[in-house]
Amino acid sequence: MRRCTTLFLADDDADDRLLMKEAIKAIDPSIEIVESENGQELLTVLQSQTVLDRCLIILDMNMPKMNGLETLSNLRIIPRLASLPTVMLSTSGNPDMIDFAKKLGALDYYIKPSNMDSLLNLCRHLISEKAGHPDV
C-alpha cells in the first residue's frame, strides 16, 4: 500500500473524533483528516472526492442514520469506493459483529481504547500497518 495522505474518520461522537485527530496528528501531522458524523455523510463526502487512492477510512460501529456495518456494506457496492481500505472501531467486542465486518471487507476491527496512551498506540498501528507508513 502506498503512503496514506488522507484519513476519513466517521464517528458520531465529537469527543472521540477530537481525540482520534489529536493522536493521529501527534504521530503524523501531514495526514489530512476528513470528519463525518455518520455513514451517510461519509458516503456523500467520499463520492465528492476526485482522488481516493491514498486514503484510509475509519468507521465507528454505532452511528445514527447509517451505522458502520451499513456504511461498509454501501461502500462495497459503489464501484469507485469498493476497494478503499477500511477499519472498524467500536466499544463492543461482539465476535459476531467483528466477523460480519470482516466478511463485508473491513481490514480489521478494533475496540476503542479507554485512555490516550492506548489510543496513540492504536493510531500508530493504523498509520504504520493499515495506511502504509512503515517508518512510524
Side-chain angles (χ1 to χ4, degrees), residues 15-27 112-124:
D15 291 335
D16 284 354
R17 287 194 317 271
L18 176 64
L19 291 172
M20 180 70 77
K21 286 188 320 185
E22 287 178 1
I24 291 165
K25 289 295 188 179
I27 295 163
K112 285 185 176 183
S114 58
N115 61 58
M116 195 59 172
D117 284 340
S118 296
L119 180 60
L120 282 165
N121 286 335
L122 172 61
C123 289
R124 199 170 286 111

Side-chain angles (χ1 to χ4, degrees), residues 69-134:
L69 292 173
E70 294 166 332
T71 305
L72 185 57
S73 180
N74 278 286
L75 280 169
R76 298 306 177 231
I77 62 173
I78 301 170
R80 80 181 278 269
L81 306 180
S83 63
L84 295 179
T86 305
V87 297
M88 303 293 296
L89 284 180
S90 181
T91 56
S92 170
N94 180 316
D96 292 333
M97 279 200 308
I98 295 169
D99 187 50
F100 191 51
K102 289 182 177 181
K103 284 180 180 172
L104 288 174
L107 292 176
D108 222 326
Y109 183 110
Y110 301 94
I111 304 300
K112 285 185 176 183
S114 58
N115 61 58
M116 195 59 172
D117 284 340
S118 296
L119 180 60
L120 282 165
N121 286 335
L122 172 61
C123 289
R124 199 170 286 111
H125 172 75
L126 290 174
I127 290 169
S128 66
E129 298 297 320
K130 307 299 180 191
H133 292 237

Side-chain angles (χ1 to χ4, degrees), residues 9-14 17 34-43 45 59-60 62-67 71:
L9 175 60
D11 193 322
D12 61 312
D13 187 313
R17 287 194 317 271
V34 180
E35 298 177 65
S36 300
E37 292 184 9
N38 61 64
Q40 284 181 338
E41 186 179 317
L42 174 68
L43 290 172
V45 166
L59 284 177
D60 180 35
N62 298 309
M63 297 181 287
K65 298 185 182 180
M66 185 182 291
N67 70 33
T71 305

